[in-house]
Amino acid sequence: MVLPKRCVQVYIHLCSGFSSFSPVLFGYSQKETSMDPPNEIPQQMSSFPPSVLAPCTPQQNPNVFLDSNANATPNWVPIPVENPNPNLDHYLSFSIPKKRRRGRPQRNPASFRIPIVPSGNNYFASSSTSVSVPSVKQNVESPSVRPVPDISDEIIVINKEPKTEALIALSAGFPADSLNEDEIEVGVLPVLGGIEQVNYILIRNHIIAKWRENVSNWVSKEMFIDYIPRHYHTLLDSAYNYLVSYGYINFGVAPAIKEKIPAEPSKPSVIVIGAGLAGLAAARQLLRFGFKVTVLEGRKRAGGRVYTKKMEGGNRVCAAADLGGSVLTGTLGNPLGIVARQLGYLLHKVRDKCPLYRLDGKPVDPNTDMKVENAFNRLLDKASRLRQLMGDVSVDVSLGAALETFRQVHGDAVNDEEMNLFNWHLANLEYANAGLLSNLSLAFWDQDDPYDMGGDHCFLPGGNGKLVQALAENVPILYEKIVHTIRYSSDGVQVTAGNQVFEGDMALCTVPVGVLKKGSIKFIPELPQRKLDGIKRLGFGLLNKVAMLFPHVFWETDLDTFGHLSDDPSHRGQFFLFYSYATVAGGPLLIALVAGEAAHKFESMPPTDAVTHVLQILKGIYEPRGINVPEPIQTVCTRWGGDPFCFGSYSNVAVGASGDDYDILAESVGDGRLFFAGEATTRRYPATMHGAFLTGLREAANMAHYANARSLGTMVDRTPSKNAHSCASLLTDLFREPDLEFGSFSVIFSQKNADPKSPAILRVTLSDTRKKTHEVSKQDQQHSNKLLFQQLQSHFNQQEQLHVYTLLSRQQIFELREVRGGDEMRLNILCEKMGVKLVGRKGLGPTADSVIASIKAERGNRKPGTTSTSLKPGMSKLKTGILKRKLIRKAKVIRKSNGPAPPATVSTVGGKVSEEVRITDQVLPDMLGSGSRS
């Protein structure tokens, strides 16, 4: 059925607004992946919709609810809540979780509202959040992006509430009303924009919602044919095939899905290295695609850093202890929650109550607790604002240095108990990141927060090993095969484990980044320097546990967590948090966590000393109440740092690294022969079990894509910008001496090529004066001996600058220079008339990288001039707010016709003119992305 013409505007408003949903507080970004003790080795979506027609992928928390029954299977259908205030119809409200809480609830998550600015038939969001829109490559003569369609076009009405289905798509990781990066990259639509994109998104969301109604059924394409118009069946084909191949629907272990695995493989052989969640997810998917799969696992068991150990003692007391990954975070969109549903398992919500106890065992005063927690959150907010002002320098500063400096500058007078409380929160932060605060990047330590999945954090009764067991069923896994060499070439791969060599068409490497850092596996040829650098930059932290099985429960049964303070900052993470598994493990089980510096010292601590220390803490808490603390029946201490199959627990963004490094680790090498998966290959869901699982599904789709392309004799062009980091620094050097400057615009181009159509790189510099000089100068005087403030002083005293770029022809550059009316008019012409989208320096793409390299080669070793990249006195200072409005707005790419409008971005490659339009998450870098948190 189609919508009458007069209703189309109303429909677009409904799809764009989502204003009838009130904010939902999702709590904290809780992350826990996996670990494995060595003693077992010998045995073993867009938060804001700009316009329904605009491809945009910044994903935030979906506005959805989880069934309040803690012991029930989550309610997977979002519940709309009417907005009680009609005056807020043009605002979107979402809460932003912060990676501050794991053992305790986020009491005051930051929230923000985004105004929806009407513009014609469209609604554009204006926000301080970062924007991420993938690139679209197109030919200028026949562009594949077109303007907003005529209102007479028809929009499908499917028999479900579109807003509800859009929110379900959000929970599955999609923008509610636009395409994600992969959809654009694989070409789900021949033409971007227009009514086809609107209808594709409606169909896509409907298919996802249909599957979520019953995840144990196989959703077939035929289910939708009868009520989707025949002339839109191509969109149905495209949406359905994409969702199935990338594992957004019809995945898991339900009988209806397992039946689809063919009895005999029909496609080439694939070797999967590692039987963790990433390897198991990929293996199952590849088997269903028809590949011949062999999984090589070094341990005697599957699961990797997800390990459930059965602990037992006399009198038939036993319990299942998750020694590795234990918490299913954000169960609304969590694919492992779906697997649990398919198995019929109920999930236990981790309850928010988490009392803290002093050294003497007495409870911390609630008022003091709240006071210190608020102070701690204020310091994190100050650190968030600080990195905005610092710009690129914040990449080289640690979160710990910033917090400590701010604590000394702004901290109130505190007593010993308050200091111990503050250190507890620091330990909790190190637990969340599995890393020392002194090693975490101030700029990007929480870069994944916007992608936190909505819903409760839950335990799986009986342990996550039940998921591993189900996923490993009927998967051909060869255990105790320790891989030490991977050879890859255009002909295939050879994987050597011990004295055995396994050959295949492709290989998927899912080993933890700790193994890659150690160089335990030799790659022949060596991995590209870009990937080696990413492996080196990315952090890999440590978390350890002490699991104790007692003869009976002596602690409170209404608690899932409680904490304990330390008076030694270097031991703040030692047994600072306890998890009670009595309600889910099948027996009286307590697990004590060891984080931060203490986790590293714990590796060499004798197990008897560790258990004795834990018992002293527990006796100090409970014996003054007259409660006897018995001796444990059985104990287990993990040693993940010394485990040769992981050398740590999970990844983090270390000083000098960024979210880009997750993407770099995910890149395939060898022309689609060697692929990589695991929690350290997803910038959205790192350090999580579901992140690892999703990367396995992702790479299975990528491997199938390459295999199909080879069978058809076609090439796959997914080569990343190999010199992204070097080109970024090259840009800075080259623009110190631009070839052309006017207003806030500067240009570099080849001096040897005078062709008007030759490419040039345009940079727009935007400034926003900060009134912090006096305040920070005073602070610096007070702390002149502190390296951090010495390093920051100039950044506070200067204007903050933001550089954005695009690729144009020389002719377009000269036309833009002649525009009268100043920078604002030029920017308007650039974005509105030319249809250009400005990007961050890392978003220019391979074409621009070639131009940059060419200009650098032409200039040779010529020393850069002294021209400052800051604006000269008297120049027009383009306000950042103007750029926000222009960039977030959907740039219209005008089809080349009789009109004189030039193309968006032009380059000449091999005599052919091509068009490249890209906005990446670097468009409004940290300055805006961080603003949503502060």
Side-chain angles (χ1 to χ4, degrees):
M1 127 178 226
V2 293
L3 195 68
K5 298 177 184 178
R6 61 182 177 274
C7 298
V8 174
Q9 289 187 4
V10 176
Y11 184 87
I12 292 179
H13 172 70
L14 289 175
C15 283
S16 299
F18 292 94
S19 57
S20 63
F21 293 86
S22 66
V24 180
L25 303 182
F26 290 113
Y28 52 93
S29 175
Q30 181 171 349
K31 304 199 313 188
E32 181 166 349
T33 39
S34 32
M35 302 158 286
D36 195 14
N39 60 335
E40 295 301 325
I41 295 170
Q43 306 173 9
Q44 28 207 302
M45 312 166 30
S46 177
S47 68
F48 59 90
S51 160
V52 229
L53 309 176
C56 181
T57 62
Q59 299 168 334
Q60 305 281 1
N61 295 320
N63 236 357
V64 288
F65 290 85
L66 187 66
D67 192 334
S68 59
N69 184 347
N71 292 317
T73 301
N75 178 2
W76 299 86
V77 180
I79 304 171
V81 178
E82 293 302 322
N83 187 348
N85 187 350
N87 296 325
L88 299 181
D89 280 348
H90 292 296
Y91 289 84
L92 303 179
S93 296
F94 295 90
S95 63
I96 296 300
K98 301 180 181 180
K99 194 191 297 176
R100 304 178 180 185
R101 299 292 179 272
R102 297 194 59 147
R104 310 190 82 195
Q106 173 66 34
R107 296 176 180 174
N108 298 298
S111 62
F112 66 94
R113 295 190 305 168
I114 305 168
I116 304 299
V117 185
S119 174
N121 295 326
N122 303 309
Y123 285 79
F124 304 106
S126 177
S127 166
S128 64
T129 55
S130 62
V131 180
S132 174
V133 177
S135 65
V136 183
K137 297 182 181 180
Q138 54 212 0
N139 187 281
V140 173
E141 299 299 330
S142 178
S144 59
V145 176
R146 70 186 192 188
V148 175
D150 187 86
I151 206 67
S152 62
D153 286 327
E154 297 173 330
I155 295 179
I156 297 174
V157 173
I158 307 178
N159 62 347
K160 287 286 184 180
E161 167 57 44
K163 285 193 290 187
T164 299
E165 294 190 340
L167 291 175
I168 294 174
L170 270 172
S171 73
F174 283 88
D177 63 344
S178 57
L179 306 179
N180 69 18
E181 297 179 18
D182 288 332
E183 286 177 298
I184 293 177
E185 188 172 359
V186 302
V188 295
L189 290 172
V191 177
L192 294 181
I195 205 66
E196 288 86 358
Q197 179 171 314
V198 175
N199 286 326
Y200 169 88
I201 292 166
L202 289 170
I203 294 171
R204 178 201 70 192
N205 294 352
H206 180 62
I207 296 173
I208 295 171
K210 183 70 174 177
W211 189 62
R212 290 294 182 93
E213 289 178 3
N214 188 342
V215 294
S216 293
N217 288 342
W218 179 272
V219 171
S220 66
K221 192 187 317 181
E222 288 68 31
M223 293 180 179
F224 311 98
I225 288 178
D226 291 341
Y227 55 90
I228 291 180
R230 182 175 298 276
H231 55 287
Y232 286 129
H233 281 187
T234 55
L235 298 181
L236 172 61
D237 292 341
S238 182
Y240 180 82
N241 293 339
Y242 172 78
L243 293 173
V244 170
S245 64
Y246 276 80
Y248 289 105
I249 64 172
N250 296 341
F251 69 83
V253 295
I257 295 169
K258 291 192 288 187
E259 290 174 358
K260 298 295 181 178
I261 298 177
E264 295 294 334
S266 59
K267 295 184 178 179
S269 60
V270 173
I271 301 171
V272 177
I273 302 158
L277 288 178
L280 293 176
R284 296 195 73 87
Q285 195 79 328
L286 289 167
L287 286 170
R288 192 176 62 74
F289 291 162
F291 287 90
K292 181 181 180 182
V293 178
T294 301
V295 180
L296 304 179
E297 169 57 51
R299 307 180 193 270
K300 291 185 177 181
R301 60 169 181 83
R305 288 168 284 166
V306 177
Y307 177 50
T308 303
K309 177 178 176 58
K310 183 179 181 181
M311 300 179 65
E312 53 190 344
N315 298 323
R316 298 181 180 178
V317 176
C318 61
D322 272 323
L323 300 180
S326 60
V327 181
L328 297 179
T329 57
T331 47
L332 278 173
N334 195 317
L336 294 176
I338 291 177
V339 174
R341 286 183 65 194
Q342 293 173 336
L343 294 169
Y345 297 148
L346 299 179
L347 300 176
H348 171 79
K349 175 186 174 182
V350 180
R351 290 166 286 189
D352 292 339
K353 186 178 179 181
C354 180
L356 300 181
Y357 296 96
R358 304 185 316 193
L359 275 73
D360 59 7
K362 295 180 180 180
V364 171
D365 176 68
N367 292 329
T368 304
D369 188 3
M370 182 66 71
K371 171 188 173 182
V372 174
E373 181 173 349
N374 290 337
F376 174 76
N377 287 337
R378 285 195 300 271
L379 288 186
L380 279 180
D381 289 337
K382 289 180 183 296
S384 180
R385 287 191 289 271
L386 171 64
R387 64 184 176 191
Q388 299 174 29
L389 297 170
M390 290 175 64
D392 290 345
V393 173
S394 64
V395 175
D396 299 319
V397 177
S398 74
L399 175 64
L403 288 178
E404 177 60 20
T405 303
F406 275 122
R407 185 188 68 79
Q408 296 189 22
V409 174
H410 299 287
D412 300 327
V414 295
N415 56 37
D416 289 342
E417 181 180 353
E418 290 172 341
M419 194 65 235
N420 294 340
L421 263 172
F422 182 78
N423 281 321
W424 187 94
H425 286 289
L426 294 179
N428 203 28
L429 193 60
E430 290 180 321
Y431 162 39
N433 294 274
L436 304 179
L437 296 182
S438 58
N439 294 337
L440 295 179
S441 166
L442 171 62
F444 301 114
W445 69 278
D446 56 351
Q447 60 86 35
D448 58 312
D449 271 7
Y451 310 108
D452 186 61
M453 291 184 170
D456 288 322
H457 304 309
C458 298
F459 290 138
L460 176 63
N464 295 316
K466 296 164 72 174
L467 299 179
V468 171
Q469 182 180 3
L471 291 169
E473 182 183 1
N474 296 326
V475 174
I477 305 174
L478 300 179
Y479 295 103
E480 296 185 275
K481 301 298 181 184
I482 302 176
V483 172
H484 56 79
T485 306
I486 300 176
R487 296 176 181 269
Y488 61 97
S489 68
S490 58
D491 297 325
V493 294
Q494 289 183 338
V495 179
T496 305
N499 57 2
Q500 289 182 279
V501 177
F502 299 86
E503 296 186 346
D505 187 65
M506 295 176 289
L508 173 63
C509 181
T510 71
V511 300
V513 71
V515 174
L516 297 177
K517 283 178 171 290
K518 284 286 186 178
S520 303
I521 297 178
K522 182 179 182 180
F523 293 90
I524 303 174
E526 182 59 276
L527 294 176
Q529 190 62 44
R530 166 184 172 83
K531 188 177 285 285
L532 294 175
D533 292 342
I535 292 170
K536 183 178 180 180
R537 283 190 299 266
L538 204 60
F540 195 66
L542 184 61
L543 176 72
N544 275 313
K545 297 183 179 183
V546 177
M548 298 162 291
L549 178 65
F550 289 94
H552 61 267
V553 175
F554 59 86
W555 57 92
E556 300 88 337
T557 57
D558 63 338
L559 294 180
D560 288 322
T561 57
F562 60 91
H564 182 262
L565 309 186
S566 171
D567 59 352
D568 184 350
S570 66
H571 290 84
R572 64 192 179 200
Q574 184 171 282
F575 318 126
F576 80 104
L577 185 65
F578 289 79
Y579 272 91
S580 167
Y581 284 83
T583 56
V584 295
L589 179 70
L590 270 181
I591 290 184
L593 302 186
V594 191
E597 184 180 349
H600 293 270
K601 295 179 179 178
F602 183 79
E603 294 275 321
S604 57
M605 179 185 293
T608 53
D609 292 355
V611 173
T612 300
H613 192 171
V614 174
L615 288 176
Q616 288 175 348
I617 293 173
L618 293 174
K619 290 178 180 179
I621 295 173
Y622 290 102
E623 288 189 348
R625 308 183 204 174
I627 300 173
N628 178 55
V629 177
E631 290 294 316
I633 298 173
Q634 185 183 5
T635 61
V636 175
C637 297
T638 66
R639 298 284 189 268
W640 292 103
D643 186 335
F645 297 112
C646 56
F647 294 109
S649 299
Y650 40 90
S651 65
N652 55 54
V653 184
V655 174
S658 73
D660 293 342
D661 292 312
Y662 289 107
D663 291 337
I664 292 172
L665 261 66
E667 293 169 359
S668 62
V669 299
D671 295 325
R673 296 294 183 175
L674 179 58
F675 298 77
F676 294 83
E679 57 86 13
T681 68
T682 170
R683 70 185 300 158
R684 292 184 176 180
Y685 313 112
T688 62
M689 291 184 288
H690 63 268
F693 185 86
L694 287 170
T695 63
L697 298 178
R698 178 197 71 203
E699 292 310 308
N702 290 336
M703 295 170 82
H705 183 71
Y706 272 95
N708 291 338
R710 277 193 289 268
S711 67
L712 297 173
T714 59
M715 295 292 293
V716 178
D717 184 13
R718 287 194 180 181
T719 304
S721 176
K722 294 183 179 179
N723 301 309
H725 292 279
S726 60
C727 283
S729 59
L730 269 181
L731 265 182
T732 302
D733 292 338
L734 293 175
F735 271 102
R736 289 195 177 100
E737 193 171 351
D739 295 300
L740 188 64
E741 289 183 279
F742 47 95
S744 298
F745 297 75
S746 52
V747 186
I748 57 173
F749 49 75
S750 171
Q751 296 285 357
K752 295 181 179 180
N753 189 350
D755 186 347
K757 293 183 179 180
S758 62
I761 294 178
L762 171 71
R763 185 179 75 179
V764 184
T765 301
L766 304 116
S767 305
D768 195 9
T769 303
R770 300 289 175 178
K771 300 178 181 179
K772 296 284 186 179
T773 305
H774 174 71
E775 176 185 346
V776 177
S777 296
K778 182 179 179 181
Q779 293 170 354
D780 190 56
Q781 291 171 2
Q782 295 174 352
H783 300 272
S784 59
N785 61 330
K786 291 193 174 296
L787 177 62
L788 177 63
F789 274 98
Q790 292 173 355
Q791 191 176 23
L792 304 184
Q793 182 180 12
S794 63
H795 293 274
F796 277 96
N797 293 339
Q798 292 179 356
Q799 296 173 333
E800 173 164 355
Q801 294 186 333
L802 175 67
H803 299 305
V804 287
Y805 304 84
T806 192
L807 193 63
L808 296 174
S809 67
R810 290 181 62 159
Q811 180 179 344
Q812 288 175 304
I813 293 291
F814 290 121
E815 291 174 357
L816 189 64
R817 184 183 61 173
E818 300 305 316
V819 171
R820 297 293 177 257
D823 287 338
E824 293 189 27
M825 182 59 69
R826 291 190 184 102
L827 187 63
N828 182 70
I829 295 294
L830 191 68
C831 293
E832 298 298 322
K833 302 299 182 183
M834 292 185 176
V836 165
K837 293 189 176 184
L838 298 168
V839 303
R841 61 186 183 186
K842 294 180 182 178
L844 282 167
T847 303
D849 289 350
S850 300
V851 176
I852 295 169
S854 175
I855 296 173
K856 173 63 177 176
E858 181 180 302
R859 292 189 180 185
N861 296 322
R862 189 177 84 191
K863 294 183 179 181
T866 57
T867 305
S868 172
T869 56
S870 61
L871 295 175
K872 296 181 175 65
M875 278 191 175
S876 171
K877 298 174 182 177
L878 198 57
K879 297 296 181 183
T880 307
I882 300 171
L883 179 73
K884 294 181 194 176
R885 294 194 296 271
K886 299 298 182 183
L887 292 184
I888 295 176
R889 191 173 303 163
K890 173 179 174 291
K892 299 178 182 179
V893 181
I894 309 300
R895 184 186 299 276
K896 187 171 183 179
S897 58
N898 295 329
T905 50
V906 178
S907 62
T908 57
V909 181
K912 296 183 179 180
V913 183
S914 63
E915 183 180 48
E916 184 172 345
V917 180
R918 172 178 293 188
I919 295 181
T920 69
D921 54 355
Q922 302 297 324
V923 169
L924 301 180
D926 223 24
M927 186 186 71
L928 302 182
S930 302
S932 64
R933 307 180 205 281
S934 54

